[in-house]
C-alpha cells in the first residue's frame, strides 16, 4: 500500500490520479490533498478518500469547507503553509506534484527535502529551478518520476539503456489548434479558440501553452533537467495524432518510441505504480483505425515561443525562470482579453531582453528573478508597450 500526497488534486492531473487510486484501493492510500479554489470538488474528494490533511489556497474557502463538513477528522489548512504541510506529510511516501504554474516550486522542493519520491507533473518547478531540484534530489537520494506524457515516454524509452548511449531526445508536439491557421490570422484568435485543443483535455494554462507551443518549450527545459541531456540534443517534431509521445535515439541509430492513445491516465499510472504497470482499462491502440502517423518540423514563424525557450536554456541561470514568469503573465492577460495571442511571445521576448541572467544556484536568485519578471511584464502590458 503506497501512501500518497497530491498537490493539485482538483486539477486535471489530480482528478485523473484519484480516478486511478479509486480503482486500485489495494495499492494506494491518500493521506493529504491540496487544491486551488475548487471547494466543491475538494469536499467530494474528502468524503471519498478521507485524507488526514487537506489544503486550499483561500482562507475563506477553508472556512466554508469546515462548515460543510462538521465532525470530519480531516485537518484543513490554507495558503502556502497548507501546500507545504501536504508536501511533507510524515505518512506520505510519494508526492504527486500537479499544481499549475510557479506556485508549485516551494512545495515540490519541500517534498524532495522531506525525502518523498516525487512524481512530477508540474513542469514550472523544473523550468525555474531544475538545477537545484536535481541537486537536492541527488543529495537526499530522492527518485523523480516524470508524469508529463512526453517525459514519461522518454523515461520508458530509456529503460534498460545507458545514458551515455543517447544520441538525442525527440519530443513530439500535437501542434495544438493553430497548426494550420494562417500566420497572419494568429493575432486575432480568441481564448475560446485557443482553449479548444484537438487531442488533450487539460487545464487552461497548459492548453494555452500548447496552442503557442510554449508548453513544448517548457518541456524541452524540463527534459534537459530530468534526463541531463544538453539542449542541442533535444529536438521537437510536430506529430498531430499524439500517438507517439516521444522518442529516444541511440548512438547505434536505434530509435525507441513510446506509443499509446492520448490519455493522461497512462503516464500518471506509470509514475504512481512504478516500476509496476497497472491495468487501467484504457482502450487498446488501434493502428489500423488511425491509419497513418505523420511528423513535420516546427515552423518557427508560427511558433516563436519554442525558440525563446531554447534561448532561455542556452543563456541559463535565472533566464528560464524569467521566460516562465513572463509567460504566466502573458497567458493570464490573454485569457482576460488584455493581450493578443501573438503578443504572448512578444511580451516574453521583451521581458527576457531586459534581464541579465545570474546563476541559478540559490533559490533566492530564482524567486527574485521570477518576481522581477512578473512585475516587468505586467508593467509593459499596462503601458501598452508592445
Ligand atoms: Mg506534455
Amino acid at each position: 500500500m503506497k501512501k500518497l500526497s497530491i498537490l493539485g488534486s482538483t486539477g486535471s492531473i489530480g482528478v485523473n490520479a484519484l480516478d486511478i487510486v479509486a480503482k486500485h484501493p489495494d495499492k494506494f492510500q491518500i493521506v493529504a490533498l491540496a487544491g486551488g479554489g475548487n471547494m466543491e470538488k475538494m469536499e467530494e474528494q474528502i468524503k471519498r478518500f478521507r485524507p488526514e490533511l487537506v489544503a486550499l489556497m483561500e482562507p475563506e474557502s477553508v472556512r466554508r469547507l469546515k462548515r460543510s463538513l462538521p465532525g470530519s477528522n480531516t485537518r484543513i489548512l490554507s495558503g502556502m503553509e497548507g501546500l507545504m504541510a501536504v508536501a511533507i506529510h510524515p505518512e506520505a511516501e510519494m508526492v504527486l506534484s500537479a499544481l499549475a504554474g510557479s506556485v508549485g516550486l516551494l512545495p515540490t522542493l519541500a517534498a524532495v527535502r522531506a525525502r518523498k519520491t516525487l512524481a512530477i507533473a508540474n513542469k514550472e518547478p523544473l523550468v525555474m529551478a531544475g538545477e537545484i531540484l536535481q541537486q537536492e534530489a541527488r543529495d537526499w537520494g530522492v527518485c523523480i518520476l516524470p508524469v508529463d506524457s512526453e517525459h514519461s515516454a522518454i523515461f520508458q524509452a530509456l529503460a534498460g539503456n545507458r545514458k551515455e548511449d543517447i544520441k538525442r531526445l525527440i519530443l513530439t508536439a500535437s501542434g495544438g489548434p493553430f497548426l494550420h491557421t494562417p500566420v497572419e490570422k494568429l493575432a486575432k484568435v480568441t481564448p475560446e479558440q485557443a482553449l479548444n485543443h484537438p487531442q488533450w483535455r487539460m487545464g487552461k494554462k497548459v492548453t494555452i501553452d500548447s496552442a503557442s507551443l510554449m508548453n513544448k518549450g517548457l518541456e524541452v527545459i524540463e527534459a534537459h533537467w530530468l534526463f541531463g541531456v544538453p539542449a542541442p540534443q533535444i529536438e521537437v517534431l510536430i506529430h498531430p495524432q499524439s500517438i507517439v509521445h516521444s522518442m529516444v535515439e541511440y548512438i547505434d541509430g536505434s530509435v525507441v518510441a513510446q506509443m499509446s492513445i492520448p490519455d493522461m491516465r497512462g503516464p500518471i499510472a506509470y509514475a504512481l505504480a512504478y516500476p509496476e504497470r497497472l491495468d487501467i482499462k484504457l482502450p487498446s491502440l488501434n493502428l489500423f483505425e488511425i491509419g497513418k502517423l505523420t511528423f513535420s518540423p516546427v515552423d518557427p514563424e508560427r511558433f516563436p515561443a519554442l525558440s525563446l525557450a531554447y534561448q532561455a536554456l542556452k543563456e541559463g541561470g535565472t533566464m528560464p525562470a524569467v521566460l516562465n514568469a513572463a509567460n504566466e503573465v502573458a497567458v493570464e492577460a490573454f485569457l482576460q482579453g488584455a493581450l493578443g495571442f501573438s503578443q504572448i511571445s512578444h511580451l516574453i521576448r521583451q521581458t527576457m531582453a531586459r534581464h541579465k541572467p545570474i546563476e541559478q544556484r540559490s533559490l533566492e536568485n530564482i524567486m527574485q528573478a521570477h518576481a522581477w519578471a512578473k512585475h516587468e511584464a505586467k508593467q509593459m502590458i499596462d503601458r501598452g508597450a508592445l
Side-chain angles (χ1 to χ4, degrees), residues 123 148-151 202 206 215-216 219 222 264:
K123 54 190 65 133
D148 209 346
S149 60
E150 295 77 2
H151 305 78
M202 307 171 286
V206 58
N215 182 54
K216 211 50 54 180
E219 287 177 356
E222 186 186 1
M264 278 311 291

Side-chain angles (χ1 to χ4, degrees), residues 30-50:
I30 297 297
V31 295
L33 297 174
N38 193 333
M39 203 200 82
E40 288 72 24
K41 204 171 264 179
M42 185 57 94
E43 190 178 335
E44 265 173 54
Q45 293 180 349
I46 293 174
K47 286 179 180 157
R48 176 125 203 221
F49 297 98
R50 308 194 168 278

Side-chain angles (χ1 to χ4, degrees), residues 221-233:
I221 302 174
E222 186 186 1
H224 166 72
W225 290 117
L226 278 173
F227 306 113
V229 173
Q233 282 164 260

Side-chain angles (χ1 to χ4, degrees), residues 56-297:
L56 283 171
M57 275 324 272
E58 301 303 324
E60 179 51 31
S61 316
V62 170
R63 275 192 288 276
R64 283 173 49 208
L65 189 58
K66 280 183 177 167
R67 272 202 300 274
S68 61
L69 291 164
S72 159
N73 290 326
T74 298
R75 279 190 297 144
I76 308 174
L77 299 175
S78 68
M80 186 49 81
E81 186 198 351
L83 295 181
M84 296 299 258
V86 169
I88 64 167
H89 193 286
E91 278 186 56
E93 295 156 58
M94 176 184 260
V95 173
L96 171 60
S97 163
L99 291 164
S102 53
V103 67
L105 173 59
L106 295 177
T108 301
L109 195 56
V112 170
R113 289 175 177 164
R115 310 181 91 153
K116 312 295 187 191
T117 300
L118 187 67
I120 191 159
N122 184 188
K123 54 190 65 133
E124 287 83 353
L126 276 164
V127 169
M128 296 168 76
E131 190 178 346
I132 294 176
L133 263 173
Q134 279 298 9
Q135 186 58 50
E136 297 257 355
R138 274 193 295 274
D139 291 350
W140 296 101
V142 163
C143 173
I144 300 184
L145 300 163
V147 172
D148 209 346
S149 60
E150 295 77 2
H151 305 78
S152 176
I154 290 170
F155 185 64
Q156 294 179 55
L158 286 172
N161 289 284
R162 303 188 318 158
K163 206 187 122 192
E164 49 272 46
D165 296 338
I166 299 172
K167 189 168 180 191
R168 55 183 181 142
L169 306 180
I170 306 163
L171 297 178
T172 56
S174 73
F178 304 136
L179 185 55
H180 304 294
T181 308
V183 175
E184 64 278 8
K185 292 210 167 127
L186 287 177
K188 292 267 187 291
V189 299
T190 63
E192 290 68 34
Q193 290 170 306
L195 287 170
N196 187 21
H197 196 278
Q199 300 293 357
W200 296 98
R201 292 285 151 260
M202 307 171 286
K204 277 188 183 178
K205 162 75 166 49
V206 58
T207 306
I208 301 299
D209 285 347
S210 296
S212 69
L213 240 65
M214 180 50 89
N215 182 54
K216 211 50 54 180
L218 299 177
E219 287 177 356
V220 167
I221 302 174
E222 186 186 1
H224 166 72
W225 290 117
L226 278 173
F227 306 113
V229 173
Q233 282 164 260
I234 307 174
E235 284 177 35
V236 175
L237 274 186
I238 301 281
H239 169 49
Q241 296 84 11
S242 297
I243 297 296
V244 174
H245 298 304
S246 279
M247 302 174 249
V248 179
E249 182 184 345
Y250 290 97
I251 48 175
D252 62 357
S254 264
V255 177
V256 181
Q258 187 264 342
M259 294 190 271
S260 74
I261 61 160
D263 189 310
M264 278 311 291
R265 284 172 296 180
I268 295 168
Y270 189 71
L272 293 186
Y274 179 79
E276 199 181 323
R277 287 186 185 266
L278 299 176
D279 178 6
I280 50 170
K281 313 274 187 261
L282 291 189
S284 279
L285 173 62
N286 186 338
L287 287 172
F288 290 122
E289 215 166 77
I290 294 159
K292 64 179 176 185
L293 301 176
T294 60
F295 302 90
S296 57

